Amino acid sequence: MSLPPAIGAVPHRRHDPLRDEWVLVSSGRTRRPWQGRREEAAAVRPPAYDPTCYLCPGNERAGGVRNPAYRGTWSFENDFAALRPETPPGAWSQGLLRAEAEAGSCRVLCYSPHHDRTLGSLAPAEVRAVVDRWAEESATLGERWPWVQVFENRGPEMGASNPHPHGQIWAGEALPRDAVREDRTQREHRERTGSLLLRDVLDQEAGGPRIVDENDGWVVLVPFWATWPYEILLLPRFPAARLPELSGEQRDALGRIVRALYRRYDALFGRPLPFSFGWHQAPFGRDGAHWLLHAHAFPPLLGPDVRKFMVGYELLSEAQRDLDPETAAERLRAVDPGERAG
Ligand code: H2U
Ligand code: ZN
């Protein structure tokens, strides 16, 4: 479904039903001249093993601990964790000023012992092993913490400290901002309609201009309300609220579509694309019947070397985008990832 020109061809706002917020879409603005900063891709590919990398097998980490000679995936407790399990409960308030102690756990997950790989260049069985680790870590952390956030910051542009293929998992007691919002919008939709919000989105988008890729289990689409230029949403075709619920077949299909997504992203501008990728699963230890498990990816680039800055208007008013989501989806679809997700 495309917007009628009376709206689609003029600056307009689109609603994000998942976060219940708006984005200003002003397509055509990408034609403006750019004399600002240019983002440069790393010129050399990293080596398969880097003796100075704190994530490579057998190397010493910053805290002095030595990594095992791991051969597949491997995870460890973050040495510089933002959340710690032993944090005692505590709360303080004075008038409008409030603070709460927050306990949790932060883990680092290495996808592969090979320093130069990405989820796009690992073998399908190796990507499946990463999917299994996402599920396992989520199940273990979910026994103790309601919110389990699996994510990856990819590329120095996104603050990744190291090219070694890795992601992070942060788990905590409190539901953070996005969890609270997505929990509320999905709950309200289910109460109102009896169906899952993102399932209804998927049904409405099927065969439409914002679909990027799909296989028997999963669909990648550019959401109608995307804020980042090439933002995508990865959705299951089946009901599932959390990663540990996925069956073997669903995990294999997920591995294939994630691998194809990473390849597609890198092929888009012919350079490793920076982005943050992460899962939103229902909070653990409570009812999740209104949730549909999904992943978001947020790449910040508008072109091979031009970044979209979320600054003045975005920080002070609301998100704004220059490239319309349908064009973004068309460009992503047109790219040859080298291999299909199906
Ligand atoms: P990022 O590349 O996304 O920053 O993730 C790397 C994480 O690894 C980061 O959170 C942790 C950092 O705290 N880390 C260790 O736990 N041990 C080290 O020796 C260095 C980095
Ligand atoms: Zn390494």
Side-chain angles (χ1 to χ4, degrees):
M1 208 177 306
S2 291
L3 280 178
I7 296 179
V10 300
H12 59 275
R13 294 167 80 222
R14 297 188 184 191
H15 184 244
D16 172 352
L18 191 57
R19 288 204 199 97
D20 190 16
E21 59 186 30
W22 293 81
V23 52
L24 174 63
V25 181
S26 345
S27 31
R29 269 189 93 235
T30 41
R31 286 193 295 270
R32 73 190 188 280
W34 182 252
Q35 294 183 325
R37 184 186 154 100
R38 296 277 165 185
E39 309 291 328
E40 289 196 20
V44 282
R45 196 187 147 142
Y49 168 76
D50 177 352
T52 67
C53 168
Y54 55 76
L55 298 178
C56 275
N59 289 0
E60 196 174 293
R61 298 210 299 277
V65 183
R66 193 165 286 282
N67 298 333
Y70 67 97
R71 291 159 155 272
T73 58
W74 173 63
S75 62
F76 62 94
E77 197 71 18
N78 197 312
D79 299 309
F80 307 95
L83 295 161
R84 300 173 182 285
E86 68 277 10
T87 304
W92 173 91
S93 71
Q94 196 173 81
L96 289 172
L97 312 183
R98 292 162 59 185
E100 285 172 5
E102 173 71 1
S105 174
C106 294
R107 300 188 56 81
V108 179
L109 168 60
C110 295
Y111 300 155
S112 159
H114 302 293
H115 187 79
D116 59 342
R117 300 299 168 83
T118 81
L119 280 185
S121 62
L122 288 177
E126 295 171 316
V127 182
R128 165 64 199 271
V130 172
V131 172
D132 286 339
R133 283 308 275 257
W134 286 338
E136 255 170 58
E137 292 279 334
S138 297
T140 309
L141 290 164
E143 283 172 19
R144 180 152 179 207
W145 313 106
W147 186 245
V148 180
Q149 181 62 67
V150 175
F151 67 98
E152 174 181 358
N153 292 323
R154 187 166 185 249
E157 298 85 349
M158 298 309 284
S161 55
N162 182 320
H164 196 107
H166 70 284
Q168 300 192 46
I169 306 155
W170 292 21
E173 296 179 277
L175 294 193
R177 179 202 57 208
D178 280 8
V180 169
R181 290 209 196 163
E182 293 195 2
D183 192 66
R184 176 177 65 78
T185 56
Q186 292 184 96
R187 184 189 304 279
E188 286 175 359
H189 186 85
R190 183 132 194 282
E191 283 167 3
R192 204 172 56 247
T193 65
S195 55
L196 298 176
L197 189 154
L198 290 175
R199 174 81 227 182
D200 287 351
V201 167
L202 195 55
D203 287 347
Q204 200 176 341
E205 293 289 14
R210 287 172 291 274
I211 302 289
V212 173
D213 198 4
E214 55 196 314
N215 63 22
D216 48 1
W218 301 82
V219 177
V220 170
L221 56 83
V222 175
F224 176 74
W225 56 83
T227 59
W228 291 93
Y230 291 93
E231 174 179 341
I232 61 88
L233 195 55
L234 167 58
L235 296 169
R237 291 186 187 279
F238 49 89
R242 303 180 184 89
L243 287 161
E245 284 165 41
L246 302 178
S247 71
E249 265 176 35
Q250 292 165 345
R251 292 178 190 203
D252 281 337
L254 174 56
R256 291 197 301 275
I257 206 156
V258 166
R259 185 165 179 271
L261 173 66
Y262 273 61
R263 297 171 86 93
R264 185 180 298 276
Y265 265 166
D266 284 353
L268 178 65
F269 298 131
R271 54 158 290 174
L273 192 72
F275 55 89
S276 282
F277 171 90
W279 288 98
H280 279 158
Q281 45 189 336
F284 284 78
R286 55 183 88 173
D287 169 44
H290 52 295
W291 270 79
L292 188 65
L293 169 73
H294 60 278
H296 297 271
F298 307 110
L301 296 190
L302 270 167
D305 58 357
V306 178
R307 177 190 271 269
K308 163 67 182 173
F309 288 97
M310 292 284 188
V311 283
Y313 192 80
E314 291 87 349
L315 291 176
L316 292 158
S317 299
E318 69 186 10
Q320 181 269 344
R321 61 177 292 133
D322 307 305
L323 171 72
D324 69 63
E326 295 70 32
T327 306
E330 193 184 313
R331 289 184 189 163
L332 282 169
R333 252 196 327 271
V335 155
D336 177 11
E339 236 164 285
R340 305 288 313 156

